[in-house]
Amino acid sequence: MRFFIFILPLVAAIPLKSIDKKYDLGIEDGKLKYVKFIEPSDTVDLSNLGLNTLDRYAFEYITNVKTLNLADNSLRNLPHFIFSNLTKLENLSLARNEIDDVENLFVGLENLNQLDISYNPISHLRQGHLFGLSKSTEILTEGNIFWSINTDVLANLFLKKESEKKDGYSSKIDDNERESLTEASDRKVREIELKQENVIFQRYRRDIGGQLGENPRAKLCMTDDGVVTSVSGIGDNETLEGGCREVTFDRNKGQLELRGMIIKSFREGWYQIRSFPVGSIDLSDNEITEITKEVLNDLPMSVEYVNLAANRINHLWKDVIENRYLKRLNFKANSINNIESNSLNKTNLEGLYLADNQLDNLDFLHTLPSRLTQLILTSNQIVSINRGAFSSLKHLTYLNMGNNKITKLQNNAFEGQENLPVLILTRNRIAEIEPKAFSDLKMLTTLYLYQNLISKLDRNTFTDLTKLQDLNLISNKFTIISEETFPLLPKSLVSLNLDGNEIKSLEKGSFVDAPRNSLSLNENQISYIDKGAFKLSNLHDLYLNNNSLTTIDGDSYQGLPRLRHLSLSGNQISNIEKGSCKNLASLHILDISDNPFQSLKNGALYGLTIDKGTFLYIYGNRLKSIQSGMFEDA
């Protein structure tokens, strides 16, 4: 908390006789010092006087006033308890000021019938902010940009401890909710990839710090036509010859930076660094057209990763690459259209990255190193997966085939993958999945199928996936969730995402026992949720944003006893009747933002737990009025 001390000249407040001669005002530099009646009255109009603040005791002489109008001023930070001695006040207008915090302003105003706080920059009504008002007080709110209201907004803060965060929920809007449907999923895929890459990196990481000199330096020598003749260390007093240049060695990564050097090919024996160990070499963004024996075969055992992304390679020839020390090769964004059998079998690779190439089949897989754990084939031209295609790669932990042209997954497509935990098949053209397509994936925990053309699945599609935790079906073609169109979900499932489909209603029994934590149905066309649609005793988060719901029907949410976050923003909810929130007592967050309702009357949100301080999100609404008893059985 900051304290500011202003030293001002001692100038007495100038008494101003009001126009109607009913009261005198003491105003000094925009600060109201006092109000005194000249003639008895129960109304004081102080609107449009240019006031910017109020003295704590400004109203001590008018304690019997019933109507006080402070609208159209520039009031911002009002003293706590400023109105507390106006116990007979019935109407208070603070409209069109600059007030953003109303904490402790209304204590003692039990008789207030109407409070007008319209057109102020108030965004939150927190715990106890309206303490002192009765349940029948009408609050005019038009023109504010509300984000949230706490259910315990009327609570007596002086009898309660400072509010604590509950189970990790806070008033902050999660940034993930602002992302597009697939942005968050794409980000998560990348996080998984990085985690997988780091596993390999850490497994073979060498502590080279003690082996490095104070400033290890390297040089690249090459001909005018892009042929590398040597890469070697630079001595302390060495002068660079023509055709040679110093290149960067990142000692933190242990990486030699040869990116973007217009390299086309290599002479035999080009790698000559002996004075310090190099863990990886970045050869990306060059003009290499072919992997010859000279490129990789003579690298020392310290080099476990070579990045050849964004070159011009179109073919990997058999019996060329022979290096048992390499653990990762990156061929992303080349033009590879053919990988011959036995082209990589004389390596011990664990990570192979072939994204953004021109591969149209998987015939090369059976001769890849059996130790391979990470295989990325995104953005190629692959149209099908034959049974047994991956059967020789029994140690895969991450397989990404997103953004290909696959239309169908046949039974046992992933035969031999009993240990695979992560499978990504996003952005394909998959319209059909045979019942046993995933039956071999006994250890699968993550399955992403977003942006395909799936409209229905056999009831037993996921029956064998007893370890599955995260299932993503964003932007497919589901229109209804029923026994005929949607499979049984394994009880292990933690999160299910069905955003961006074409689902119009949720029938009884749509979701039973799974998912256990999070269910997302954003951006569908849901207009009706049947009683009994959910039987999810452990579900925490339910997202129904941007659908076509017109009401909140408490009966729709039976079977969700532990629900903490219900998000209904961007629907067509125009009226919220009493009883809407029955069965929602467990909520910590109710998001009804971006809906067309304009008022919240007494009892409208009865059913939400008051003592717990549930957050009600209402940003983007055109809320004109609320009543203090909106959370009460009023």
Side-chain angles (χ1 to χ4, degrees):
M1 182 180 293
R2 298 181 179 179
F3 296 91
F4 297 88
I5 299 175
F6 295 89
I7 301 175
L8 299 173
L10 297 176
V11 178
I14 301 173
L16 298 174
K17 188 171 291 187
S18 66
I19 294 175
D20 58 9
K21 299 183 180 180
K22 289 184 178 180
Y23 36 84
D24 284 333
L25 309 177
I27 300 176
E28 178 184 324
D29 295 330
K31 181 176 184 178
L32 179 66
K33 304 288 289 187
Y34 65 82
V35 182
K36 293 182 179 180
F37 284 120
I38 295 175
E39 297 178 5
S41 176
D42 61 4
T43 299
V44 174
D45 185 356
L46 301 175
S47 63
N48 234 341
L49 291 178
L51 301 176
N52 54 49
T53 189
L54 305 175
D55 186 86
R56 169 67 180 86
Y57 302 103
F59 304 119
E60 64 178 337
Y61 301 115
I62 57 169
T63 56
N64 292 320
V65 69
K66 293 184 178 180
T67 297
L68 176 59
N69 186 359
L70 286 160
D72 297 298
N73 283 289
S74 299
L75 298 172
R76 179 170 297 179
N77 299 314
L78 300 184
H80 287 192
F81 313 107
I82 181 66
F83 306 114
S84 294
N85 58 343
L86 306 181
T87 56
K88 297 181 180 180
L89 198 62
E90 296 177 359
N91 298 286
L92 173 61
S93 179
L94 297 169
R96 293 177 295 280
N97 278 281
E98 299 175 15
I99 300 166
D100 61 5
D101 187 358
V102 295
E103 184 176 0
N104 292 330
L105 292 187
F106 310 121
V107 177
L109 302 186
E110 291 87 356
N111 293 311
L112 198 69
N113 294 325
Q114 187 180 83
L115 170 64
D116 190 350
I117 53 174
S118 302
Y119 297 99
N120 280 281
I122 299 169
S123 57
H124 301 285
L125 292 176
R126 302 288 197 204
Q127 180 187 39
H129 276 196
L130 299 183
F131 173 61
L133 302 181
S134 71
K135 298 176 185 178
S136 61
T137 303
E138 181 183 21
I139 304 168
L140 304 182
T141 59
E142 186 173 5
N144 283 286
I145 308 175
F146 277 119
W147 278 69
S148 70
I149 303 176
N150 274 47
T151 54
D152 53 0
V153 69
L154 290 175
N156 185 348
L157 287 178
F158 307 103
L159 298 179
K160 299 170 73 72
K161 295 181 179 179
E162 185 179 350
S163 178
E164 297 177 347
K165 291 182 180 179
K166 300 163 178 77
D167 300 325
Y169 283 82
S170 73
S171 62
K172 183 178 179 181
I173 303 295
D174 190 347
D175 289 338
N176 291 346
E177 296 182 28
R178 300 281 179 258
E179 294 179 294
S180 72
L181 293 184
T182 55
E183 280 178 350
S185 297
D186 289 342
R187 175 175 48 79
K188 191 171 182 179
V189 167
R190 185 57 187 150
E191 289 173 357
I192 295 171
E193 284 186 4
L194 289 173
K195 183 178 179 180
Q196 292 284 330
E197 290 176 17
N198 191 54
V199 168
I200 301 174
F201 171 73
Q202 293 295 337
R203 183 180 298 144
Y204 297 100
R205 181 181 182 183
R206 296 175 176 84
D207 183 8
I208 62 174
Q211 304 173 53
L212 296 176
E214 183 176 339
N215 184 28
R217 300 166 63 201
K219 64 179 179 181
L220 165 68
C221 298
M222 57 190 293
T223 65
D224 292 339
D225 56 354
V227 179
V228 175
T229 57
S230 68
V231 174
S232 57
I234 300 176
D236 292 338
N237 300 313
E238 183 177 346
T239 302
L240 295 182
E241 302 173 354
C244 297
R245 72 177 90 169
E246 185 168 356
V247 292
T248 301
F249 175 70
D250 187 333
R251 62 183 298 147
N252 292 324
K253 296 180 180 179
Q255 179 165 289
L256 184 64
E257 305 284 357
L258 300 178
R259 178 176 183 171
M261 300 288 183
I262 320 180
I263 296 170
K264 295 182 178 180
S265 61
F266 300 79
R267 284 186 184 170
E268 186 176 357
W270 66 274
Y271 187 89
Q272 299 174 13
I273 295 178
R274 302 289 181 264
S275 56
F276 54 89
V278 172
S280 61
I281 302 175
D282 187 355
L283 284 164
S284 64
D285 198 21
N286 279 291
E287 298 180 6
I288 301 167
T289 58
E290 183 178 6
I291 301 299
T292 61
K293 292 182 178 181
E294 292 79 15
V295 180
L296 300 172
N297 292 5
D298 292 331
L299 296 178
M301 64 179 298
S302 65
V303 178
E304 62 90 20
Y305 174 50
V306 177
N307 184 359
L308 287 155
N311 277 278
R312 300 179 181 180
I313 303 163
N314 57 35
H315 201 109
L316 294 183
W317 304 98
K318 66 178 180 180
D319 300 325
V320 172
I321 301 174
E322 186 173 349
N323 186 325
R324 299 291 182 180
Y325 304 126
L326 284 174
K327 298 297 179 284
R328 294 183 293 156
L329 277 177
N330 188 354
F331 291 108
K332 180 180 180 180
N334 279 273
S335 302
I336 299 173
N337 55 42
N338 187 27
I339 299 177
E340 293 190 358
S341 296
N342 299 322
S343 59
L344 293 166
N345 66 317
K346 295 179 181 179
T347 70
N348 289 322
L349 289 179
E350 296 189 19
L352 178 59
Y353 316 129
L354 291 163
D356 297 295
N357 280 282
Q358 299 296 318
L359 295 167
D360 61 8
N361 65 76
L362 299 172
D363 295 344
F364 64 93
L365 292 180
H366 69 282
T367 61
L368 291 182
S370 61
R371 299 178 58 172
L372 202 67
T373 60
Q374 188 178 24
L375 178 59
I376 299 177
L377 294 164
T378 53
S379 301
N380 279 277
Q381 307 294 318
I382 299 166
V383 296
S384 64
I385 302 174
N386 295 326
R387 180 173 180 172
F390 297 96
S391 59
S392 64
L393 303 175
K394 298 185 181 299
H395 298 287
L396 285 180
T397 59
Y398 182 83
L399 174 58
N400 190 337
M401 297 186 67
N403 199 25
N404 279 280
K405 297 181 179 179
I406 302 167
T407 59
K408 178 181 178 179
L409 296 179
Q410 62 181 349
N411 286 333
N412 304 107
F414 301 97
E415 187 176 68
Q417 289 305 304
E418 290 84 359
N419 296 309
L420 180 69
V422 181
L423 175 59
I424 311 296
L425 291 163
T426 60
R427 293 189 175 91
N428 277 276
R429 302 173 184 177
I430 301 170
E432 181 182 357
I433 299 178
E434 293 187 352
K436 294 295 181 181
F438 302 122
S439 62
D440 296 283
L441 301 172
K442 307 299 184 184
M443 299 301 292
L444 196 71
T445 61
T446 302
L447 176 58
Y448 280 12
L449 289 159
Y450 61 81
Q451 288 193 314
N452 279 285
L453 302 172
I454 306 166
S455 60
K456 64 179 181 178
L457 291 170
D458 184 85
R459 197 66 172 158
N460 296 311
T461 301
F462 302 129
T463 301
D464 296 312
L465 306 184
T466 57
K467 302 289 186 181
L468 189 64
Q469 297 182 18
D470 188 0
L471 176 59
N472 192 319
L473 292 164
I474 286 176
S475 297
N476 277 279
K477 298 295 181 180
F478 292 101
T479 59
I480 188 170
I481 304 298
S482 67
E483 292 185 5
E484 290 74 31
T485 63
F486 203 72
L488 290 168
L489 298 173
K491 293 183 179 181
S492 59
L493 192 66
V494 174
S495 174
L496 171 62
N497 197 323
L498 281 161
D499 291 353
N501 279 270
E502 300 170 9
I503 301 168
K504 294 176 173 59
S505 64
L506 298 178
E507 308 301 325
K508 184 176 180 179
S510 292
F511 299 99
V512 178
D513 294 332
R516 292 190 288 116
N517 188 291
S518 177
L519 172 59
S520 192
L521 293 156
N522 297 325
E523 299 198 26
N524 280 275
Q525 302 166 25
I526 300 169
S527 60
Y528 175 72
I529 302 175
D530 197 2
K531 180 179 179 179
F534 306 108
K535 190 177 179 182
L536 302 170
S537 59
N538 292 302
L539 193 75
H540 287 176
D541 304 313
L542 176 58
Y543 301 94
L544 287 158
N545 300 324
N546 301 314
N547 279 281
S548 301
L549 296 169
T550 58
T551 62
I552 303 175
D553 185 351
D555 288 332
S556 298
Y557 304 103
Q558 283 186 355
L560 300 170
R562 292 183 174 84
L563 191 65
R564 297 179 180 180
H565 186 168
L566 174 60
S567 195
L568 299 169
S569 71
N571 278 275
Q572 301 300 317
I573 301 170
S574 58
N575 190 32
I576 301 177
E577 300 288 346
K578 184 176 179 179
S580 295
C581 294
K582 65 179 179 180
N583 299 315
L584 295 177
S586 61
L587 285 184
H588 289 227
I589 294 173
L590 173 60
D591 187 348
I592 49 176
S593 306
D594 292 311
N595 278 284
F597 65 88
Q598 296 185 352
S599 66
L600 292 172
K601 297 180 179 179
N602 283 345
L605 298 167
Y606 174 64
L608 301 179
T609 303
I610 293 176
D611 294 341
K612 184 166 53 182
T614 300
F615 288 105
L616 178 71
Y617 290 154
I618 54 173
Y619 54 89
N621 291 344
R622 296 180 179 179
L623 197 59
K624 292 183 177 180
S625 69
I626 60 178
Q627 290 185 315
S628 298
M630 57 188 159
F631 300 113
E632 305 281 349
D633 186 12

